[in-house]
Amino acid sequence: MLLLYVLLGIFVLILLVAYFHLDTFISFVIVSIGLGLACGMKVTAISQSLEKGIGGTLGSLVIIIGFGSMLGKLVAESGAAQRITTTLMNIFGLKYLPWGLALAGFIIGLPLFYNAGFVIVIPLIFTIAASTRLPMLYVAVPMLSALSVAHGYLPPHPSPTAIAAQFNANVGQTLFYGIIVAIPAIILAGPVFAKTLKKYDPKPDTSLFNTKQFTEAEMPSLGISLFVALLPLILLTLMPWLKSQFTEPSPLYTFFAFLGDPSISMLVSVLVAIYFLGIQRGRTTKSVMKSLEEAFKSVSIILLIVAGAGGFKQILTDGGVSKYIGELLAGVDISPLILGWAIAGVIRICVGSATVAGLTAVGIIAPLVQSQGVKPELMVLAIGSGSLICSHLNDGGFWLFKEYFNLSIKETLQTWTVMETIVSIVGLAGVLILDQFV
């Protein structure tokens, strides 16, 4: 009966979000309360579980996700994203342009959340396609596939960061393994798949491209742009390794451990961005702070979704459902990584949201991570990959792509949906291969 309650709860969640278009956070709370009652929990216990789940989830994520949004805002508003793209385009030349754009999309995608990154790169894509006279989607897909991979796989993006927190996964290791898995996913879904899209000839509405185009003088240097955009990656991956070179009482051990903490890494990155991309560029402190405030507002809805998913997971735990599912799935002869990917994929197809899919799958698959000794960092990537599969009509990203490029629904399914599915499947394959070596 517990399994039936969970399946019914997920079905109700899908119905509330996808059919009735009810707010996702409210939907999570309603389903969590219903599941708690079905499991025989007292009303006071349900309330305490929700508070514990929501508070415990947000406590570790608000700083990372909040600072991540601020960093992305400064990278976009300063012209650093445009500098990175135009420079790489010049370096790679016309022949290898898609590879340069894929790399640019990945670098930009590290600090920028997907929707913000999408809006920033669209004018760049349009300008590049017009100046080179290359097919629009041949130029667009390499950049957008890289943005999608960063969104689904890598901290400090909300979904992978939240999933990592739920599994107590090391954020630096998750980022490091994620980059390894991301490389083949971006190559196949980006430059390789883009070669098949030259037959499409979309005619975008140029009035949509209202993002500011910076002049040469307005943009920061390439060195500063790359340094600021990649600083979280540098700190989160390099500091833990440097820390391991010293023993714990050493001052250097303490220093590197401090800088390698995800919250501190993101704080340092934002402070560096405030100076180099804000104050040094002639902006007032008040103006920069206003931008940071707007950036945090933009992720408030995402934080609520993450909070709702945290409450749902806690009900699964306190109601005894997670333990029961763990015992049930322990006898299933299939890799937990594949199972996590598949569960996230099914929810993604039904709900449309990668974030909701990933965080809902966590509560179901969590018992297997401990019982079967799965490396939590790889489980984060497996679920993240599954949450990207088969984006279609119930996904906001699908319509964003369709409308900006003025495609038909059929053409969007043939391009965007296939690209996202390639990213998902290659991601799973990469995780399974990596699992044999780590």
Side-chain angles (χ1 to χ4, degrees):
M1 289 301 294
L2 285 176
L3 183 61
L4 181 62
Y5 293 151
V6 173
L7 294 175
L8 185 60
I10 293 173
F11 174 75
V12 172
L13 179 67
I14 292 169
L15 203 63
L16 292 175
V17 174
Y19 184 76
F20 291 106
H21 304 293
L22 191 64
D23 176 79
T24 307
F25 174 71
I26 295 174
S27 300
F28 263 123
V29 172
I30 291 172
V31 170
S32 298
I33 293 171
L35 181 60
L37 291 172
C39 292
M41 295 177 68
K42 294 181 180 179
V43 174
T44 53
I46 293 173
S47 178
Q48 290 170 359
S49 286
L50 284 172
E51 289 177 10
K52 181 181 178 182
I54 291 171
T57 300
L58 285 183
S60 59
L61 295 180
V62 169
I63 294 176
I64 300 174
I65 294 176
F67 283 152
S69 68
M70 294 176 186
L71 178 63
K73 183 78 169 178
L74 292 174
V75 168
E77 285 190 346
S78 65
Q82 184 177 326
R83 169 69 76 186
I84 292 168
T85 302
T86 53
T87 303
L88 289 175
M89 185 182 74
N90 293 333
I91 291 172
F92 279 83
L94 195 60
K95 184 177 180 181
Y96 300 104
L97 182 62
W99 297 87
L101 293 175
L103 179 57
F106 184 66
I107 294 172
I108 293 169
L110 285 171
L112 278 171
F113 290 169
Y114 185 81
N115 286 351
F118 187 100
V119 174
I120 291 300
V121 303
I122 281 293
L124 302 177
I125 290 169
F126 180 75
T127 303
I128 293 165
S131 62
T132 60
R133 298 184 180 179
L134 290 170
M136 183 70 70
L137 297 186
Y138 179 70
V139 173
V141 164
M143 288 198 85
L144 297 180
S145 65
L147 286 180
S148 181
V149 167
H151 168 73
Y153 292 9
L154 306 176
H157 290 266
S159 184
T161 305
I163 297 171
Q166 298 283 16
F167 285 139
N168 293 318
N170 182 286
V171 174
Q173 281 190 22
T174 303
L175 182 56
F176 178 71
Y177 293 147
I179 291 171
I180 295 174
V181 174
I183 292 170
I186 293 172
I187 290 172
L188 292 175
V192 174
F193 179 56
K195 289 181 180 179
T196 69
L197 304 179
K198 293 182 178 180
K199 62 182 178 181
Y200 296 95
D201 186 30
K203 303 294 183 186
D205 181 358
T206 55
S207 65
L208 292 173
F209 306 114
N210 53 12
T211 301
K212 179 180 178 180
Q213 291 293 287
F214 296 87
T215 65
E216 181 70 22
E218 289 175 324
M219 294 185 288
S221 69
L222 177 65
I224 291 296
S225 300
L226 285 174
F227 174 67
V228 175
L230 295 176
L231 189 55
L233 169 64
I234 295 168
L235 293 176
L236 288 170
T237 57
L238 185 60
M239 292 303 115
W241 178 80
L242 289 173
K243 180 187 74 173
S244 68
Q245 306 304 305
F246 302 91
T247 54
E248 189 165 348
S250 166
L252 286 175
Y253 176 94
T254 303
F255 176 72
F256 291 133
F258 177 75
L259 284 182
D261 179 84
S263 298
I264 301 301
S265 294
M266 294 309 302
L267 171 61
V268 171
S269 299
V270 170
L271 291 175
V272 169
I274 288 172
Y275 177 73
F276 284 109
L277 300 184
I279 295 171
Q280 195 184 58
R281 304 296 302 168
R283 294 183 64 183
T284 63
T285 304
K286 185 176 181 180
S287 169
V288 174
M289 293 306 111
K290 182 66 176 176
S291 292
L292 300 188
E293 181 183 327
E294 292 172 358
F296 193 80
K297 287 179 181 178
S298 70
V299 296
S300 58
I301 300 300
I302 296 173
L303 286 171
L304 276 178
I305 294 173
V306 170
F312 179 69
K313 177 181 177 292
Q314 195 63 43
I315 291 291
L316 288 174
T317 302
D318 294 347
V321 179
S322 291
K323 182 180 178 181
Y324 173 75
I325 291 175
E327 294 171 350
L328 194 68
L329 294 179
V332 176
D333 188 24
I334 185 172
S335 166
L337 296 171
I338 297 176
L339 201 59
W341 176 85
I343 291 171
V346 170
I347 298 172
R348 154 71 159 187
I349 292 169
C350 295
V351 175
S353 168
T355 303
V356 173
L359 294 173
T360 306
V362 169
I364 299 170
I365 205 71
L368 286 187
V369 176
Q370 292 182 339
S371 66
Q372 296 198 16
V374 181
K375 198 167 182 62
E377 292 79 13
L378 295 184
M379 184 59 82
V380 173
L381 298 176
I383 291 177
S385 299
S387 72
L388 295 175
I389 199 169
C390 200
S391 167
H392 61 97
L393 281 75
N394 61 0
D395 178 23
F398 176 93
W399 293 102
L400 204 61
F401 185 86
K402 177 191 178 299
E403 294 305 319
Y404 267 100
F405 289 103
N406 199 21
L407 297 165
S408 67
I409 288 179
K410 180 181 178 181
E411 288 172 332
T412 311
L413 289 168
Q414 292 171 334
T415 54
W416 168 262
T417 303
V418 174
M419 182 198 79
E420 288 285 82
T421 303
I422 293 172
V423 164
S424 177
I425 294 172
V426 175
L428 173 64
V431 168
L432 293 176
I433 293 171
L434 202 57
D435 186 44
Q436 304 302 311
F437 298 97
V438 298

